[in-house]
């Protein structure tokens, strides 16, 4: 019969084993959650690449400087004409005094008092539609605007516009490549995490097989348990991703990602599919590995 000391030692070992197993479960859930969260972030970027690209392009603008002798009525007429143009998203009139105040704040010195007059011109800031935010289209718009008698000059940063358009194309390609690499890395990380978890129970797997359990019978509880962990991980990833979407909408309301329910549904469905698929496949092969092993190989 086991002595009282042996019983206490067995209980202690059982508690330690239970704590280690619980710690392994928690580590697995957290690891899978973080991986799915990162996959979700990349997926969010890819699904909203077009919208982000449009948002960036729609912040590209040109400045239409007006002649000093232009009457206020003519300025208003020109602005309304621009607002009605198909290439314009919005316009903002900046008077000579407003331009002087802005420049004074930027340089920290009252240049008007120093010069004795205001050398700046009134202007209209024009934000373009995304489809027209490229060098060729802006060059045509510039020619069209210079024909107006009220316009003195049209100014825009050609090099900046070229850089933005080039970078948008590059970023789209980089995102696709990065997503592919991330998926492979994620598969490897989740697979290794699950293999470590299964390794801790390799003796149980072999014992079940030795007492006559079929391979499918042995695999089923491990796969069901891991799918349960995957569900917890997916929920955590959803919460983290929901927080990111909320912050994006709060700081960049123009993107309005939170209201794109179709996009969010596709993203969340993708995360769920990836989470369950990777976990199922990893568990299937990890358990099979120990089922194929001989008893003496389990100690390696």
């Amino acid at each position: 019969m086991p002595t009282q000391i042996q019983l206490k030692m067995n209980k202690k070992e059982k508690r330690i084993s239970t704590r280690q197993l619980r710690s392994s479960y928690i580590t697995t859930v957290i690891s899978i959650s973080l991986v799915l969260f990162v996959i979700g972030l990349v997926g969010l970027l890819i699904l909203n690449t077009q919208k982000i690209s449009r948002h960036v392009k729609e912040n590209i603008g040109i400045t239409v400087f007006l002649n000093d002798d232009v009457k206020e009525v003519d300025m208003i007429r020109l602005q309304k004409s621009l607002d009605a143009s198909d290439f314009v998203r919005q316009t903002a009139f900046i008077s000579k005094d407003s331009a002087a105040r802005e420049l004074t704040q930027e340089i920290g010195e009252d240049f008007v008092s120093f010069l004795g007059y205001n050398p700046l011109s009134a202007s209209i800031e024009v934000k373009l539609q995304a489809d027209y935010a490229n060098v060729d289209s802006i060059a045509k718009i510039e020619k069209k605007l210079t024909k107006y008698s009220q316009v003195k000059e049209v100014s825009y940063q050609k090099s900046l516009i070229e850089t933005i358009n080039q970078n948008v194309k590059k970023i789209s390609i980089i995102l696709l490549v990065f997503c592919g690499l991330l998926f492979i890395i994620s598969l490897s990380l989740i697979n290794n995490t699950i293999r470590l978890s299964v390794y801790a129970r390799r003796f149980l797997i072999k014992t079940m097989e030795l007492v006559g359990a079929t391979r499918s019978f042995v695999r089923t509880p491990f796969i069901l348990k891991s799918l349960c962990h995957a569900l917890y991980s997916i929920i955590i990833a959803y919460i983290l991703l929901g927080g990111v979407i909320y912050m994006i909408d709060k700081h960049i309301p123009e993107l309005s990602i939170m209201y794109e329910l179709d996009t969010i549904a596709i993203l969340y469905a993708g995360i769920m599919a990836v989470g369950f698929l990777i976990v199922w496949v990893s568990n299937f092969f990890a358990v099979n590995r120990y089922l194929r092993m001989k008893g003496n190989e389990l100690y390696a």
Side-chain angles (χ1 to χ4, degrees), residues 95-300:
S95 65
K96 288 170 63 73
D97 293 337
S98 297
R101 282 195 298 271
E102 288 180 11
L103 186 58
T104 299
Q105 288 177 356
E106 287 179 13
I107 63 177
E109 186 177 344
D110 188 359
F111 68 95
V112 175
S113 299
F114 177 76
L115 295 175
Y117 71 100
N118 183 1
L120 302 179
S121 301
S123 63
I124 298 174
E125 292 287 339
V126 179
K127 296 293 184 184
L128 301 173
Q129 296 287 359
D131 295 337
Y132 294 89
N134 57 75
V135 175
D136 293 336
S137 296
I138 293 175
K140 293 177 182 178
I141 292 168
E142 182 183 8
K143 286 182 181 179
K144 182 178 180 179
L145 293 177
T146 50
K147 292 179 181 179
Y148 287 95
S149 59
Q150 303 98 315
V151 177
K152 177 167 60 176
E153 182 187 356
V154 176
S155 175
Y156 63 93
Q157 293 179 297
K158 183 177 179 180
S159 60
L160 176 62
I161 294 167
E162 287 177 338
T163 302
I164 288 173
N165 280 282
Q166 288 171 2
N167 287 342
V168 165
K169 292 177 182 177
K170 287 179 182 177
I171 289 169
S172 299
I173 295 170
I174 290 170
L175 275 176
L176 288 173
V177 174
F178 180 68
C179 186
L181 290 173
L182 181 63
F183 183 78
I184 295 170
I185 293 168
S186 302
L187 181 63
S188 176
L189 284 173
I190 293 176
N191 183 54
N192 287 337
T193 302
I194 290 169
R195 283 180 65 183
L196 286 172
S197 177
V198 174
Y199 174 80
R201 292 170 287 171
R202 65 194 185 282
F203 294 108
L204 175 61
I205 293 171
K206 204 63 184 176
T207 302
M208 291 173 70
E209 186 184 26
L210 291 172
V211 297
T214 61
R215 290 194 171 189
S216 61
F217 182 84
V218 175
R219 279 195 302 263
T220 300
F222 285 93
I223 291 175
L224 290 176
K225 189 75 175 177
S226 64
L227 290 178
C228 186
H229 292 159
L231 180 60
Y232 296 147
S233 301
I234 290 166
I235 291 170
I236 293 171
Y238 282 174
I239 293 169
L240 293 173
L241 203 56
V244 170
I245 292 171
Y246 172 77
M247 293 303 294
I248 291 173
D249 268 19
K250 185 177 179 181
H251 295 285
I252 315 176
E254 294 86 355
L255 294 179
S256 62
I257 296 173
M258 190 176 289
Y259 303 101
E260 295 287 338
L261 298 180
D262 292 344
T263 302
I264 293 175
I266 292 169
L267 179 65
Y268 277 27
I271 291 172
M272 180 178 288
V274 168
F276 282 137
L277 180 63
I278 294 176
V279 168
W280 185 85
V281 171
S282 299
N283 261 279
F284 183 88
F285 287 105
V287 174
N288 271 3
R289 181 190 175 200
Y290 292 109
L291 285 171
R292 288 194 300 267
M293 281 185 175
K294 295 179 180 179
N296 60 338
E297 292 177 337
L298 296 176
Y299 294 91

